[in-house]
């Protein structure tokens, strides 16, 4: 089955809509689906709940959707690089569900595995635990966390075959596989598309069963979040 679409715009067409929960892969600005985020911005859909490790930076990544006020709620573990995010949150214009990073990863992985909830010790005794069910196992307290199953997942991979089998490159293999597994519809942006059958099965990082649509972005910007150099 050929899952390749001609552009990010056409890959999103008929899939994204107002009031959806959308998960976006990446870590900082590493491994983010740049073209798909820009196409989501241009689609004009609104009132989105976005799940991502972070909220991008001002004017790039998910920061673009914050500046256009398309996001009304963020589920994230780190938001420190985005001044517009800070402004909207402190002004009460943006809802935030702050989630420990490992818990966020497991919420997505569990959602993709069909597990509705799990128990974790992370957050016990903090505001993270407020209103959540607690249980004791082997003398230790755990809180129950619900898994996440977004309406749409936007993912960045390095290579795909035309059936959707994926390879990720280095640190871009962070949240992206979990995001891809969790989505009811998963759209993947890649730098190279190869014929089906090219990959040895042992080289497949994520099987195509999780992938619904693929779009090529051969030359992403790959902006550096914070550049540090020596004299």
């Amino acid at each position: 089955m050929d899952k390749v679409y001609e552009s990010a715009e056409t890959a999103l067409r008929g899939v994204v809509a107002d009031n959806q929960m959308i998960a976006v892969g990446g870590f900082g600005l590493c491994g983010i689906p740049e073209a798909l985020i820009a196409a989501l911005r241009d689609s004009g859909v609104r009132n989105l709940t976005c799940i991502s490790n972070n909220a991008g930076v001002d004017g790039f990544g998910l920061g673009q959707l914050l500046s256009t006020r398309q996001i009304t709620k963020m589920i994230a573990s780190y938001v420190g690089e985005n001044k517009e995010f800070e402004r909207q949150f402190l002004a009460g214009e943006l809802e935030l569900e702050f989630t420990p990073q490992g818990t966020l990863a497991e919420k997505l992985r569990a959602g993709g595995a069909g597990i509705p909830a799990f128990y974790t010790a992370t957050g016990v005794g903090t505001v993270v635990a407020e209103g959540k069910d607690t249980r004791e196992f082997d003398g230790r307290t755990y809180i129950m966390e619900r898994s996440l199953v977004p309406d749409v997942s936007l993912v960045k991979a390095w290579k795909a075959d035309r059936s959707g089998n994926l390879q990720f490159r280095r640190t871009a293999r962070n949240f992206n596989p979990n995001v891809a597994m969790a989505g009811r519809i998963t759209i993947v942006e890649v730098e190279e598309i190869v014929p089906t059958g090219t990959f040895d099965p042992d080289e497949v990082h994520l099987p195509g069963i999780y992938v619904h649509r693929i779009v090529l972005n051969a030359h992403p910007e790959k902006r550096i979040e914070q550049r540090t150099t020596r004299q």
Side-chain angles (χ1 to χ4, degrees):
M1 180 180 180
D2 194 316
K3 301 177 180 179
V4 178
Y5 282 66
E6 64 180 14
S7 68
E9 179 187 0
T10 57
L12 295 184
R13 191 174 297 158
V15 173
V16 297
D18 291 349
N19 307 308
Q20 284 182 328
M21 179 183 288
I22 296 183
V24 181
F27 188 93
L29 298 183
C30 176
I32 64 171
E34 299 174 16
L36 288 172
I37 292 172
L40 183 62
R41 175 201 63 202
D42 294 342
S43 73
V45 296
R46 308 195 71 79
N47 298 321
L48 299 176
T49 295
C50 280
I51 307 162
S52 184
N53 178 63
N54 63 93
V57 297
D58 294 289
F60 195 68
L62 288 179
Q64 298 172 87
L65 301 182
L66 289 168
S67 63
T68 54
R69 303 298 187 89
Q70 289 169 266
I71 298 174
T72 55
K73 179 179 178 179
M74 279 292 309
I75 301 174
S77 64
Y78 177 71
V79 295
E81 303 297 329
N82 195 307
K83 295 297 183 183
E84 178 58 18
F85 182 104
E86 177 185 3
R87 191 201 65 75
Q88 290 185 26
F89 175 69
L90 293 177
E93 301 168 3
L94 178 68
E95 184 179 353
L96 170 63
E97 186 175 317
F98 222 13
T99 306
Q101 191 169 90
T103 301
L104 181 61
E106 181 60 14
K107 279 172 164 282
L108 291 161
R109 191 208 65 82
I115 299 169
F118 59 93
Y119 284 91
T120 177
T122 304
V124 170
T126 74
V127 293
V128 171
E130 291 180 0
K132 296 176 181 175
D133 181 44
T134 61
R135 290 277 301 274
E136 283 200 8
F137 297 95
D138 302 320
R140 188 175 184 186
T141 302
Y142 293 77
I143 59 175
M144 189 183 78
E145 293 280 4
R146 291 296 306 270
S147 61
L148 291 168
V149 183
D151 299 299
V152 181
S153 285
L154 305 182
V155 172
K156 169 63 186 294
W158 179 34
K159 292 183 182 180
D161 67 19
R162 302 188 76 88
S163 295
N165 297 303
L166 302 180
Q167 288 183 342
F168 301 93
R169 190 166 187 266
R170 297 178 180 171
T171 51
R173 191 179 176 182
N174 41 49
F175 275 88
N176 276 300
N178 288 340
V179 169
M181 290 173 62
R184 290 187 172 92
I185 299 292
T186 294
I187 306 173
V188 183
E189 174 182 328
V190 298
E191 295 178 43
E192 184 177 349
I193 299 173
V194 299
T196 300
T198 299
F199 297 146
D200 183 282
D202 285 339
E203 296 175 335
V204 175
H205 297 157
L206 190 78
I209 189 68
Y210 294 107
V211 176
H212 300 87
R213 299 183 177 190
I214 306 162
V215 62
L216 179 67
N217 181 13
H219 303 288
E221 183 177 345
K222 295 184 179 180
R223 189 181 299 189
I224 296 174
E225 193 168 353
Q226 293 187 14
R227 185 184 300 273
T228 303
T229 60
R230 291 183 297 178
Q231 291 183 353

